[in-house]
Amino acid sequence: MTDLSDLTPAAWPARAAAAWPALPLLVALALWGYAIRHTDVSALDDFGLVSALHPTFWAGLVVLTAGFWFTVRDPRRPGVWSFAYVLGLLVMERATQALLYPTPLYAWAWKHDAVIDHLLTSGGLQSADQLGDMAVYDQWPGFFAAQAALVRLLGVDNAAMYMAWWPLVSSVLLLLPLLLIYRTYTEDRRLVWTAVWLFCVGNWVGQDYFSPQSVAFALHLGVIAVVLRRYGRSGGRRGRQGQAVWTVLLSVLVTAIVVSHQLTPGMLVVTLAALALTRRHRDWVPVVTTVVIFLAWCFTAALPFLSAALPEMIRSVGDVGANVETGYGATPTGTGAVATSWAARLLSGSVLLLALAGVLRQRVLRHRALPLLLVAAAPLPMFVASSYGSEMIFRVLMFMMPGAAFFAAAALLPEVRTPAADARARKTADPSPATSARRRRIPLPSLPPLRYGVWLPLLVLLAGTLAFVPSYSGKDRVNYFPPQEVALVEQLFGQAPDDSMVVAANRNYPLAYEQYWRVDHYWFLDDDRRHVDEIVRDPAAVLARDMAAVEAPARAYFLLTQGQVANSEMNGQLDKTQLDRIRRSVASSPRFQLVAENDAGVLYILGPAS
C-alpha cells in the first residue's frame, strides 16, 4: 500500500489530474441509479419509456457524454478511460429496461424462448410436417441449440430467466470486433473510441434483443475483422501455415452464422465480395469459403424452407419500392409513435450525413480506410433482393453502421492520425530526456476554449446520444408486458388441451408461441382487410364461426391483452374503440364463457354448443 504522506506535494495534483475522468463517470452513473429508483413504468403512454424516465436520467446522459468527449480528446489519457465511458453508455442504454421492467421485453424474445423450450422438450429437430411454419427455426437451429445448452448448464427453468439482460450482453460482444476493425486503419484513440460511441448510439434498430440476429451480427463483425487484418496486403504473415489457421477460424465463424440466421450470410457475402474487388484485399479465399458453407447449408438442412419460399423470394427481387415499404400494420400511428419514428430517422440520417462529411473532410482516411467505406456501402444492394418482412431497411442500416460510425467520428475530430503518419512522427520525435520528462508530466485539467472545434462536435454527439433513447425505447408501450399479462397467458396454456386454438388480435403478447407444437394460433389482424372489417361489424358471430372448427376435446380460446391493443393502435391497425367493441361483443355473447380477467386483458373460451 502506498503511504500518501510520502508523496511529494507536486504528486498530489498530478494524481488528481490523472483521475479526473472518474468524476463525471461516477456522477453520471449516480444520476442514472437515482433515476432507476424513481421511474414508474406501470402506466406507459405512446412515448414509451421516454416520458416515464426520471429527469435525472437525462442529466446523467449529458454528464456522461460531456465527460467522454473531454476525456477522449486528450491524447494523454489512457484508453481505459474511454473504454469505461463506453461501458457506462451501454449500461445506461441497454440495462435500464432490464432493471425497470419486471418481465422481458419483445414478443419475439418470448417466441425464441418457446423455440428453445421446444428443443429441450422434443430433444431434437423436427420437420414442417410436424411443426408447420415454425419448422423454419429447426432448420436454422444454431442459436437455439446453444441457448438450450446454456439453460441446462445454468440450471434455470428457461431462457426467460436471463433474456432481459441480453441487449447489454450482445452489445458488449460487439466491442472487440469493432475495436479490431477500427484499429486496422488508425491508432488515433480519439477516432477509435468516438467511432465506437457513435456506433452505440446509432445502432437503435433493436436487434440486440434475445435473437439469432444479435449473435450473428457479432460473428459477422468478427469475420470482417479477420479479413481486414489478416487477408489484406498488410495483414500479417502470408505463409501457407499462417493463412490456413486464419481460414480455419474464418470457417468456424461463418458456419456459426450460417446455421443460426437466414439474412446475415447474404450480408456477409456481399460485403466480402466488395472487399475482394479492391487491390488491397484481392483474396478470394474468404468469399469462396463463405459461399461454399452457405450453399451447403441451403441445399441440405434449409432446403425444405427455401423450396417453399423461393417463388416469393424471386418475385421480390428488383422490386425496391415494395422491399422498403412498411405496409399495413407496420405504420407508426399516433403522436408518440410518429415522434419516436422521426427521432430514429433523424438519428440515422445524421450519422450517415456525418459519415459523408468525414469522407470528404479527412482525405487521408478516404484512401487509407477505403475498405471500411466499402463495408458501409456493401449492404445497400440488399434492398433489391428482398423486403425481409418489411424489415430490410432496418437491417441494411444496422449493417452499414460500423463503417458509417467510423467516418462520422472523423467528421467530429480534427485531422486524424494513421499508422503511417504515426510512424513518421516517431522517427522525427525528439528523444531527449527533457522531452520525455515533459511528456510524462500530467497537466491539470482545464476547460478548452470556446471554439467551433470542441463545442459544436460535443453538441452533435450529445444530441445523438439523447436521440437514441426515444429511437430505442419509444415503443416500449408495445414491447413491455406486465406480470398480469404474463400470468393470464400462462393460465391459458396451463389448461389448453392438445390441438386447441388460441385466437387473438395479433401476436404481440408474451408466450404467444408457447407450446406451438401442440396448440394452434390464429391472429385475425393478419388476415386481409375485408375479413378484419367483417369482424369489426359483428365480432362475436364472426369469431365464433372462425373458431367453430376446433373439435373436442380441444378447445378454442379468445385472448385480448393490453400488448395486442398497444400494437394495434400504434401500428395503424384497429384503434382502441374498435378493439373495445370486439371485447364487449364477445363478453355479451352466450357463445363465449369468461375464463380469466385482470387489468392486462381477458380470456374467453368458445362454448361447446357453438
Side-chain angles (χ1 to χ4, degrees), residues 321-333 387 389-391 393-394 529 570-573:
N323 290 344
V324 300
E325 100 180 314
T326 53
Y328 169 68
T331 303
T333 305
S387 68
S390 300
E391 289 189 2
I393 188 171
F394 304 111
R529 188 63 198 227
M570 296 184 65
N571 287 305
Q573 295 178 315

Side-chain angles (χ1 to χ4, degrees), residues 140 212-213 216 256-265 294 388 395:
W140 276 274
Q213 176 70 94
I257 294 172
V258 167
V259 304
S260 299
H261 199 243
Q262 301 94 334
L263 177 66
T264 305
F294 186 26
Y388 200 67
R395 304 303 176 94

